[in-house]
Amino acid sequence: MSDITPNTSHDDLASRLSLPHYPRSSAYDARWAIDNQMGPHALWLLEWLAPALGLDTLRPGARVLDLGCGRAMTAVFLAREYDVQVTAADLWIKPDENAVRIAEAGVADRVQPVLAEAHDLPFGAETFDAVVSVDAYQYFGTDDLYLPTLTRLLKPGGRIGVVVPSLSEEIEGSEPPEHLRPFWEPAFWCFHSPAWWRRHWTRSGAVDVLAADWLEDGWREWLLWSETVAEHHPDEFHVRMSRENARLVRADQGRTLGFTRVVGRRR
């Protein structure tokens, strides 16, 4: 487990990225988190999500689907912090690659990586106690028909919790705010407000919505992370993407962009 536990050679990074309200995440090596990131700091966002899911849901031995797990950091975190059994599903990262990271983290007995597309999940009905998705659900979950299909995988009363990049309020019309126009991409229209997500899930009839809220000062954490990755990631692609994200978030200053947490209980 030495790969993911902080050591003295990374004291500067650890200090910069150790936020007091994310004590569990701070126990993981910052270098490991940077090297395996695929966007905003997934461990911070998951640590924010977990209390809303509830300890009864994330109880030892519970079966959890980590949907869109990326490089399996969130799956490792769930297994180590809550002793749950995790199915780590992703379309872009090969299971063999994630299996190495999972084994190095010492949780191969609790995390199973699989290759899966969100609309073609090879699992039986009522397989999981919980479904978790961090910085991925916005790519497929805005479909009106998606949530009822996904929640068939949950046991009755099981919970689904997601964290997504979002808007503070819905944008009127077809153009972004003036200050974001230089940075805006069509894909950003999948970002929605907490109120939009609450209504979207409520309308589905699939869940009772337990939470749909905004991460206070989430934009500052997004900016801190983007700037740190831009300075320290070894790959030029990730450096460039992080610089672009930092410019976007810095220009916005929290007026429009941040993160939403949504939790529902299967009816």
Side-chain angles (χ1 to χ4, degrees), residues 50-118:
L53 278 168
L55 292 179
D56 288 345
T57 299
L58 296 177
R59 62 189 182 278
R63 297 193 66 184
V64 179
L65 172 62
D66 185 357
L67 184 57
C69 69
R71 292 190 170 90
M73 286 200 301
T74 47
V76 167
F77 186 93
L78 286 164
R80 292 190 73 190
E81 300 302 317
Y82 301 102
D83 196 24
V84 294
Q85 295 289 324
V86 186
T87 299
D90 200 81
L91 178 63
W92 296 342
I93 305 301
K94 295 179 180 178
D96 288 351
E97 296 176 17
N98 274 341
V100 173
R101 273 182 288 274
I102 290 163
E104 289 174 346
V107 291
D109 59 327
R110 283 167 282 167
V111 181
Q112 176 63 47
V114 299
L115 182 70
E117 201 278 326

Side-chain angles (χ1 to χ4, degrees), residues 119 136-147 164-165 187 189-192 196-197 200-201:
H119 296 87
Y137 193 82
Q138 69 274 15
Y139 295 123
F140 42 81
T142 57
D143 183 339
D144 289 337
L145 303 179
Y146 185 73
L147 186 61
V164 291
W189 291 113
C190 73
F191 298 169
H192 291 286
W196 186 94
W197 281 107
H200 182 58
W201 279 24

Side-chain angles (χ1 to χ4, degrees), residues 145-156:
L145 303 179
Y146 185 73
L147 186 61
T149 301
L150 177 62
T151 52
R152 71 176 180 82
L153 304 180
L154 281 173
K155 298 174 182 177

Side-chain angles (χ1 to χ4, degrees), residues 5-18 29-31:
T5 303
N7 59 66
T8 54
S9 64
H10 300 311
D11 279 350
D12 54 339
L13 278 178
S15 176
R16 184 175 184 179
L17 296 175
S18 293
D29 181 39
R31 178 79 263 172

